[in-house]
Amino acid sequence: MESNSSALISLLLFLSVLILFGCINNNFFSVNSSPKFEHTAIFTVPIVELQTKAISISTSSDQHRDDPILTAHNSAAPSGSTTVLSGTKNVKKKMKNVKLSKEEEEMEHGLARARAKIRKAASLTGNISRIVADGYENDVAVSIYRNARAFYQSYMEMEKRFKVHVYSEGELPIVHDGPCKDIYTIEGRFIHEIEHGAKSFKTRNPRRAHVYFMPFSVTWMVKYLYKPLTYDHTAMKQFVADYVRVISSKYPFWNRTQGADHFMLSCHDWGPHASHGNPFLYNTSIRALCNANSSEGFDPRKDVSLPEIHLYGGNISPKLISPPPATTPRPYLAFFAGGLHGPIRPVLLDHWKGRDPDLQVYEYLPKDLDYYSFMLRSKFCLCPSGHEVASPRIIEAIYAECVPVILSDHYVLPFSDVLRWEAFAIQVNVSEIPRLKEVLASVSEEKYRRLKEGLRAVRKHFVLNQPAKRLDVFHMILHSVWLRRLNFRLL
């Protein structure tokens, strides 16, 4: 009887702790300095300062995170942080009992030094040429960043320290492979680069790793496991659940943090559904996703928004490799061509399809007309969401130096933790679509010129090179993961 009573008491205490953690997390995610997810059209996350102490916990009692949602103009702790701090005393006490190897302790101390250097860089003023190593220290290039000094210092710290361990478990084609062309290009290219390139970032010793990559492809899951027309995601969820079960049984790293220092990457629309296969993967791990919809569970404080890059045949169209000079006339005010997918495009086409020669809006472009030629001859390229929030048109517009006009709800823009999208793109609320011509025509020539210059400066961050090159999209994805690891501590 005594043993049964003890077991019952232990169970009740465990449930109480879980409830407490749930309340703490709800308080933490109410941040006054940033808009509520469900009420914002496009949610961006400025990460340019790092706090000196942890202010939140997740569902795991073996880890805690700093709050990364702090701008250079607002260094105050988020609302609710007092509650979080008072609620983490027992967790912090337990953290002291977590035994780390000497390598792991040195790694955490190295991250602490990196945080200090980034904070110092963020507070500096004056010329940044000593920091900028690629020659882009002019005012226009600086303007595309939330804090250029913080970004470049963070990037250099990443190059100096960041190590990724790629799990070897799993078999081809679903693991260690992915599409390297067409709409989900980025999924296969990242897996290939992190497995076969990126030697300075990859480590075979898992105890030297800052993060752990699970190299499965959701796109190939859909191809090989999904039964067409069923809309049943069970097989994908089961595969993910089995994968996490294997690595968590074989190694201690997942269980140490409940996956908080692990990440997956998917550009398929169903990537978020697949991540539901394990609750800690969904709620705690870093999920790098093209479908970055903040109203559907995407959490920009821990998740990474991927740019959707559509490369026909695996390469950028030759027409977009070298856009025409800035002085070349662009006779059209705006351009769009695309199917009636999702709730936004029908509104756009209903108001503007064939209505105005300045706004070249098509449902499907006639075969005798060229899509990229329209982009190169238009000042603005309309980028409405389809069934999901991401659109490959955004990156195509950047390549064409056609200012992207983002028409979306709840979309967390790629790399918005460091990039100022307003320096090279325009956001128009869906409700403003009937006034679209008026809105775009009101953009002054001076502002348009600055937007075009911003496009030229930011382009390098969205190019897929093979092999990867410094500051390109592969490294920007790694940097986004690095930032989220910086805001998580084992010690």
Side-chain angles (χ1 to χ4, degrees), residues 24 53-56 80-89 92:
I24 290 170
K53 59 184 178 182
I55 63 168
S56 71
S81 61
T82 301
T83 303
V84 174
L85 285 172
S86 64
T88 58
K89 291 180 180 178
K92 290 183 178 180

Side-chain angles (χ1 to χ4, degrees), residues 25-38:
N25 278 327
N26 288 337
N27 286 331
F28 169 60
F29 286 114
S30 176
V31 181
N32 290 337
S33 61
S34 56
K36 297 288 186 181
F37 293 359
E38 61 270 24

Side-chain angles (χ1 to χ4, degrees), residues 63 81 98 130 200-201 204 227 291 297 389 410 414 466:
Q63 54 105 19
S81 61
V98 175
R130 290 189 301 110
S200 62
F201 295 105
R204 295 184 179 276
K227 187 176 181 180
N291 190 4
V389 291
H410 309 291
Q466 197 172 19

Side-chain angles (χ1 to χ4, degrees), residues 218-445:
V218 175
T219 302
W220 282 171
M221 288 183 203
V222 174
K223 181 177 180 178
Y224 294 106
L225 301 179
Y226 171 68
K227 187 176 181 180
L229 303 179
T230 63
Y231 298 98
D232 183 358
H233 306 128
T234 303
M236 292 180 287
K237 292 178 183 177
Q238 188 59 56
F239 183 94
V240 170
D242 289 343
Y243 195 90
V244 172
R245 178 180 52 80
V246 167
I247 62 170
S248 62
S249 299
K250 189 172 181 180
Y251 308 101
F253 309 107
W254 175 277
N255 296 322
R256 180 183 61 185
T257 66
Q258 295 296 349
D261 51 0
H262 286 58
F263 76 103
M264 61 166 282
L265 181 142
S266 172
C267 200
H268 196 279
D269 292 349
W270 291 348
H273 295 292
S275 69
H276 270 287
N278 182 279
F280 287 105
L281 174 60
Y282 185 87
N283 292 304
T284 307
S285 298
I286 302 167
R287 299 179 305 155
L289 304 170
C290 284
N291 190 4
N293 190 332
S294 63
S295 71
E296 296 180 355
F298 184 92
D299 179 0
R301 306 165 201 235
K302 71 173 188 65
D303 297 330
V304 171
S305 176
L306 299 177
E308 191 168 273
I309 303 177
H310 193 172
L311 297 185
Y312 297 91
N315 298 299
I316 298 176
S317 169
K319 296 179 180 180
L320 300 182
I321 291 176
S322 298
T327 55
T328 303
R330 295 195 176 225
Y332 302 124
L333 179 64
F335 165 68
F336 171 78
L340 291 174
H341 307 308
I344 297 176
R345 295 185 187 182
V347 179
L348 175 64
L349 268 69
D350 182 59
H351 282 89
W352 295 106
K353 178 184 175 182
R355 298 291 182 89
D356 192 310
D358 288 337
L359 272 67
Q360 293 289 313
V361 176
Y362 298 84
E363 182 174 352
Y364 291 105
L365 198 64
K367 293 184 178 179
D368 60 330
L369 300 179
D370 182 71
Y371 183 86
Y372 292 132
S373 294
F374 269 99
M375 296 190 99
L376 292 166
R377 299 181 68 199
S378 301
K379 295 177 68 176
F380 298 95
C381 285
L382 308 180
C383 305
S385 293
H387 288 307
E388 305 298 345
V389 291
S391 170
R393 286 170 179 78
I394 296 175
I395 309 306
E396 291 173 336
I398 291 174
Y399 292 166
E401 294 183 7
C402 177
V403 177
V405 179
I406 301 166
L407 300 161
S408 184
D409 286 326
H410 309 291
Y411 184 26
V412 181
L413 290 164
F415 315 139
S416 54
D417 38 21
V418 295
L419 295 180
R420 293 178 61 250
W421 276 79
E422 62 270 28
F424 54 89
I426 288 178
Q427 174 192 346
V428 176
N429 291 332
V430 175
S431 62
E432 293 291 284
I433 287 177
R435 298 180 53 249
L436 191 56
K437 183 176 181 179
E438 178 186 347
V439 171
L440 298 181
S442 68
V443 176
S444 68
E445 286 300 319

Side-chain angles (χ1 to χ4, degrees), residues 89-104:
K89 291 180 180 178
N90 292 335
V91 176
K92 290 183 178 180
K93 187 175 182 180
K94 184 173 182 179
M95 283 293 298
K96 294 178 181 179
N97 297 325
V98 175
K99 293 183 179 180
L100 301 181
S101 67
K102 184 178 180 181
E103 292 172 332
E104 291 167 330

Side-chain angles (χ1 to χ4, degrees), residues 128-168:
I128 66 169
S129 59
R130 290 189 301 110
I131 296 176
V132 182
D134 65 347
Y136 286 89
E137 62 265 22
N138 60 72
D139 292 339
V140 173
V142 169
S143 72
I144 68 173
Y145 303 108
R146 294 186 176 278
N147 187 309
R149 295 170 186 82
F151 168 67
Y152 278 103
Q153 186 65 49
S154 176
Y155 189 91
M156 290 191 297
E157 293 296 326
M158 178 189 77
E159 289 184 324
K160 178 181 178 181
R161 305 177 189 276
F162 197 35
K163 297 298 179 184
V164 180
H165 179 71
V166 182
Y167 284 112
S168 60

